[in-house]
Amino acid sequence: MVESKKPLLEIRDIRKSFSGVMVLNSVNLNLYEHEVLALMGENGAGKSTLMNILSGNLKRDSGQVLINGEPVDIETPKDAAEHGIAIIHQELNVVPSMTVAENLALGNEPKNRYGLIDKKRMRQDALDKLSPIKASIDPGQMLGELGVGEQQMVEIAKALAQHARILILDEPTASLSKGESEQLFRLIQELCEQGTGLIYISHRMEEVFALADRLTVLRDGHTVMTKDIAHADQNEIVAKMVGRTVEKLYEHPAREVGAEELIVQDLRLESDGPAVSFTVHAGEVVGMSGLVGAGRTEIARAIIGADPHASGTIRLKGKEFRFKSPKEAIGHGVAYLPESRKTQSIFPVRSVEDNISISSLDQYLTPLRLIAKGKLRSDVVASMESVNILKRLQHTPITNLSGGNQQKAIFARWLLKDSELLILDEPTRGVDVGAKQEIYELINDLAAKGKAVLVISSDLPEVLGISDRILVVRQGAIAACLSSQEATEESVMSYATGVAASQTADSMASGTN
């Protein structure tokens, strides 16, 4: 709850351009003590650029940043830290191969009188830093062995130990389980009560309305709305974000389902693991749901040959395959969109054109084994247009694109390849509502063209909204296969958590139906 009338942080008329392209154009924002300010906007609206200016990773072209009413210059991350500003990025800035204590002390390790690292003191310092956030984490554990939620808590503990009074959280729940998210929300509330001001960047409306006191919306580098959350309306927010009214996010047209495209029979990831069996038909969208860690991604990776499996059969169009690598699967018409766009999908230093064409180059070889560049480029442009990416971005490094446009570029990759089976793992993670709608339309178009689509998602409304059937995964096994007519959030979660199975067992034991 906002208690201070004087802003803790003020951003006045901030402007920033890259190569003559205006990215931020007179952005204004205020943050108060004891407040959670939600910052919303489409990918590419300028949120990340603004936060990078605040955290000292970028320099503004003009405008002012004021803390407690005093103008400040933030030219480096060290400047930001000295002014009490800390940012927790969606892609965590941690060192997995080091212990929790080493991560917390990184750059400021305690030394003994001989100039060596004092490990005993470093461990105690780590316990002291973890104490305020009530995290039961062993300082001696390797950070890479922790779950994403615990790694995030370590980053927050480090920020608070540096006396951060302005904490920026960028899509903090994107990779968290429900339990980890609830733990984070409790910590956010406690920090607010202690006087911290938090900027919470998220595309998830339910979180914004549950946590935020106010919200600010950016669009095309402009501040287009600032409002108390009590007086905000979801439809108005979406309209401000995308510059148009999104009438319906999910469209589920009637589909003509064809023959079985993918048949997975008795697939076991480990010799003593559960057997997984399911099918995906041509012209069908099958959703795969379940709790984080249930084994959905592991099943997908085994199918495409990214990870080995102990036994079982995989058939495409009736023919059995055991792919040794994703490259082999791609060669047989299988497309895979991994859950981690940054580390597994894109080639960061290459252009949008290179990222789209990378899997299709063999289709453009001339008899002399040269690439027909003219034909390739015209087809790349056509695939870009089909996913609504501007032609002028063709030769731009893909890292300069927003997350939503990066994801659409990966879709364009598989459109160019004309894959028959598409396995999409978290296709809309970290993507704004406008890009989400475009991705859902792409999925519908692919199914309408007879493609088989398997969508793995932690977003239950998404799974329910786009799927013809839903596979619920629990502890590495298919716990249920539900039609779109019978599936609800309650029924899916009941199978995902094992409640439905225990109720069935109780019913059988008592002799009831």
Side-chain angles (χ1 to χ4, degrees), residues 57-210:
N57 292 309
L58 286 174
K59 294 182 181 180
R60 64 187 184 273
D61 293 338
S62 61
Q64 280 188 312
V65 176
L66 295 88
I67 294 178
N68 291 323
E70 296 295 325
V72 297
D73 288 321
I74 303 173
E75 298 190 353
T76 66
K78 184 179 179 182
D79 292 339
E82 289 175 352
H83 288 297
I85 300 172
I87 182 168
I88 310 299
H89 294 280
Q90 184 178 347
E91 302 288 344
L92 297 176
N93 187 24
V94 295
V95 185
S97 59
M98 297 174 68
T99 66
V100 171
E102 288 169 338
N103 270 273
L104 287 169
L106 195 60
N108 193 28
E109 295 86 351
K111 304 288 179 66
N112 60 25
R113 60 179 177 172
Y114 303 109
L116 301 175
I117 293 175
D118 189 335
K119 292 189 176 181
K120 184 177 180 180
R121 196 168 118 215
M122 185 164 67
R123 178 182 175 85
Q124 185 57 52
D125 287 349
L127 289 170
D128 293 342
K129 291 171 183 176
L130 292 166
S131 177
I133 64 169
K134 300 179 177 64
S136 301
I137 299 173
D138 180 3
Q141 189 170 2
M142 300 300 291
L143 194 123
E145 296 174 357
L146 300 179
V148 176
E150 289 179 311
Q151 291 184 27
Q152 193 175 71
M153 289 296 176
V154 172
E155 279 229 75
I156 293 173
K158 186 173 183 178
L160 296 179
Q162 295 171 348
H163 309 292
R165 296 182 60 223
I166 299 165
L167 187 60
I168 303 164
L169 301 174
D170 187 2
E171 293 286 352
T173 63
S175 301
L176 301 189
S177 67
K178 184 178 180 181
E180 289 171 330
S181 295
E182 289 173 349
Q183 182 183 5
L184 175 65
F185 297 160
R186 287 193 293 271
L187 176 59
I188 288 172
Q189 291 169 350
E190 290 173 7
L191 292 174
C192 272
E193 290 171 3
Q194 295 165 15
T196 305
L198 293 101
I199 297 176
Y200 191 91
I201 303 172
S202 179
H203 298 302
R204 300 185 178 188
M205 288 287 185
E206 67 277 9
E207 293 179 4
V208 167
F209 277 83

Side-chain angles (χ1 to χ4, degrees), residues 248-256 283-285 411 424 436-451 453 455 462 465-468:
K248 192 172 182 181
L249 190 57
Y250 306 109
E251 292 286 351
H252 196 150
R255 299 188 179 110
E256 289 188 20
E284 180 183 36
V285 178
F411 268 88
L424 313 176
K436 274 188 178 184
Q437 187 182 44
E438 291 178 326
I439 288 173
Y440 298 146
E441 290 171 356
L442 285 170
I443 291 172
N444 286 333
D445 289 345
L446 289 165
K449 292 174 181 175
K451 310 297 185 183
V453 186
V455 178
E462 175 174 280
I466 66 175
S467 305
D468 300 300

Side-chain angles (χ1 to χ4, degrees), residues 361-372:
L361 296 177
D362 57 341
Q363 299 170 204
Y364 294 89
L365 290 176
T366 68
L368 296 176
R369 308 297 292 173
L370 300 173
I371 294 174

Side-chain angles (χ1 to χ4, degrees), residues 317-426:
K317 295 186 182 296
K319 185 177 180 180
E320 185 173 340
F321 291 93
R322 190 181 180 100
F323 299 123
K324 295 182 177 64
S325 68
K327 182 179 179 180
E328 186 180 351
I330 290 168
H332 286 89
V334 180
Y336 180 55
L337 191 151
E339 62 177 332
S340 176
R341 177 172 59 243
K342 180 179 178 181
T343 60
Q344 297 175 327
S345 277
I346 65 170
F347 296 87
V349 299
R350 305 308 294 262
S351 67
V352 173
E353 178 184 290
D354 289 344
N355 272 272
I356 291 173
S357 64
I358 190 67
S359 297
S360 303
L361 296 177
D362 57 341
Q363 299 170 204
Y364 294 89
L365 290 176
T366 68
L368 296 176
R369 308 297 292 173
L370 300 173
I371 294 174
K373 291 185 178 180
K375 172 64 174 169
L376 174 63
R377 284 176 176 164
S378 64
D379 287 356
V380 165
V381 170
S383 68
M384 289 173 64
E385 290 174 348
S386 67
V387 298
N388 200 24
I389 297 177
L390 297 174
K391 179 183 176 180
R392 64 178 173 82
L393 298 174
Q394 182 177 1
H395 303 295
T396 301
I398 196 167
T399 50
N400 288 2
L401 270 60
S402 66
N405 275 335
Q406 288 180 16
Q407 196 78 321
K408 289 191 292 182
I410 305 306
F411 268 88
R413 177 187 297 171
W414 302 123
L415 294 179
L416 186 66
K417 185 66 178 174
D418 198 25
S419 305
E420 293 299 320
L421 168 66
L422 294 99
I423 302 175
L424 313 176
D425 196 348
E426 303 289 1

Side-chain angles (χ1 to χ4, degrees), residues 485-507:
Q485 291 78 20
E486 64 184 326
T488 63
E489 290 197 35
E490 291 75 15
S491 64
V492 171
M493 286 304 298
S494 182
Y495 282 106
T497 57
V499 171
S502 64
Q503 288 176 344
T504 301
D506 292 343
S507 175

Side-chain angles (χ1 to χ4, degrees), residues 273-291:
V276 173
S277 300
F278 65 91
T279 61
V280 184
H281 294 74
E284 180 183 36
V285 178
V286 174
M288 186 176 277
S289 186
L291 303 177

